[in-house]
Amino acid sequence: MTSPAEPSRTPTLAQVWEVVEELWPASLAEGWDAVGPVTGDPEQPVRSILLAVDPTMAVVQDAVDSAADLLITHHPLLLRGVHSVAASGFKGRVIHRLISSGTALLTAHTNGDSAIGGTSDVLIRSLGVEDSVPLAPADSGVPGEGIGRVGELPRAVTLADFAERVFGVLPSVAGGVRVAGDPTALIRRVAVCGGAGDSLFDEVRASGADVYVTADLRHHPASEAREAGDGGRPYLIDVSHFASEWLWLGAAAGLLHRALTESGFQVEVAVSGVNSDPWDFILTP
Ligand SMILES: [Zn+2]
């Protein structure tokens, strides 16, 4: 805590990295993931931080325009090994823009998902479920850490009303919200996974969920889940990947700001308003 005799100060990037590691430890990330610092000088001062889902050029430009010293994105820019960051490719252009503008980049991906207060935790709370447990608990971590969440609404609602609630809490995107199931069916037990969640169907079925909210549901896993459930539970609600993870940013910004303030640092933390959902419009029957 800051004492009155010790005024809050501007942290270095290395000091912010330490606080981020406490909030979203790299050890919670999946083995295939690439999290942590991407660009930046550990000694550079960080007065302002911007959070976003994707490290697209529009998001990087938003960070530059808002004079952010550090951009934290949920998705990695460089998930797989590269042999060139020349500005002739789009990822190279992003790297060049970051370095030439002095903007550091850091990724908090599946470590941000698994943490208590992670993407699925924030999503299920925003839908009205206060107490939830992970669908797939983390191998190394404290109880409550892991991928996905499942828990119960205070009272049963119809699938149609619940879908309206999902639509209402998420940012507006072209693809909207797709639902599989009887709109009049009553549901109470809710499973969610922020981002692509069709690898968790076994866990969702085992959890006894009435409905599963996730993103990027492909034809075959969704079709087979409906067949296995004989057209019944779990009903499916397919949302935008970007939208399902964007909700986390506000909570993460609040958490990071509080942790930095408690460490005696003065930093502004904000969420980018750039919509990085890749879809622009949709045709429906
Ligand atoms: Zn994602």
Side-chain angles (χ1 to χ4, degrees):
M1 297 294 287
T2 311
S3 72
E6 186 189 342
S8 51
R9 57 201 196 279
T10 299
T12 62
L13 180 56
Q15 287 169 322
V16 176
W17 285 345
E18 278 179 31
V19 172
V20 166
E21 174 62 23
E22 281 169 30
L23 292 178
W24 307 299
S27 59
L28 276 180
E30 301 287 310
W32 49 263
D33 206 358
V35 303
V38 182
T39 66
D41 179 340
E43 297 305 317
Q44 75 185 83
V46 177
R47 298 173 202 86
S48 170
I49 300 173
L50 190 70
L51 274 75
V53 174
D54 294 293
T56 59
M57 188 56 101
V59 166
V60 170
Q61 195 55 48
D62 188 31
V64 174
D65 292 343
S66 57
D69 301 300
L70 170 62
L71 172 63
I72 297 180
T73 61
H74 185 54
H75 290 146
L77 175 66
L78 305 171
L79 183 58
R80 298 186 180 87
V82 295
H83 300 285
S84 166
V85 290
S88 47
F90 75 92
K91 294 200 177 191
R93 279 196 292 279
V94 166
I95 293 280
H96 278 250
R97 191 79 189 95
L98 287 164
I99 294 175
S100 65
S101 64
T103 313
L105 175 65
L106 180 143
T107 305
H109 190 208
T110 50
N111 46 337
D113 289 328
S114 274
I116 293 167
T119 47
S120 297
D121 202 356
V122 171
L123 178 59
I124 202 166
R125 279 176 196 272
S126 73
L127 296 174
V129 176
E130 283 304 320
D131 293 317
S132 67
V133 295
L135 277 170
D139 293 333
S140 61
V142 300
E145 291 175 336
I147 299 291
R149 285 289 187 280
V150 60
E152 301 214 344
L153 294 165
R155 64 192 69 81
V157 296
T158 65
L159 180 61
D161 283 347
F162 185 70
E164 287 282 348
R165 187 180 301 184
V166 173
F167 182 79
V169 302
L170 294 177
S172 175
V173 292
V177 168
R178 297 189 298 179
V179 186
D182 173 1
T184 65
L186 287 174
I187 60 114
R188 184 159 185 200
R189 192 159 171 78
V190 174
V192 309
C193 181
D198 59 16
S199 62
L200 289 176
F201 271 121
D202 288 343
E203 288 82 355
V204 170
R205 270 189 289 271
S207 77
D210 296 316
V211 63
Y212 183 35
V213 182
T214 190
D216 293 347
L217 281 181
R218 292 170 298 165
H219 172 85
H220 290 296
S223 170
E224 287 174 13
R226 295 208 71 187
E227 289 290 295
D230 205 15
R233 291 153 212 266
Y235 304 120
L236 306 177
I237 300 186
D238 185 42
V239 301
S240 147
H241 188 134
F242 159 81
S244 71
E245 297 180 332
W246 185 87
L247 272 187
W248 174 67
L249 301 178
L255 212 59
L256 180 58
H257 187 259
R258 191 161 61 244
L260 286 163
T261 303
E262 285 174 358
S263 298
F265 298 124
Q266 187 175 6
V267 194
E268 286 183 17
V269 186
V271 173
S272 172
V274 173
N275 174 355
S276 57
D277 185 88
W279 306 108
D280 290 319
F281 65 93
I282 188 168
L283 307 178
T284 53

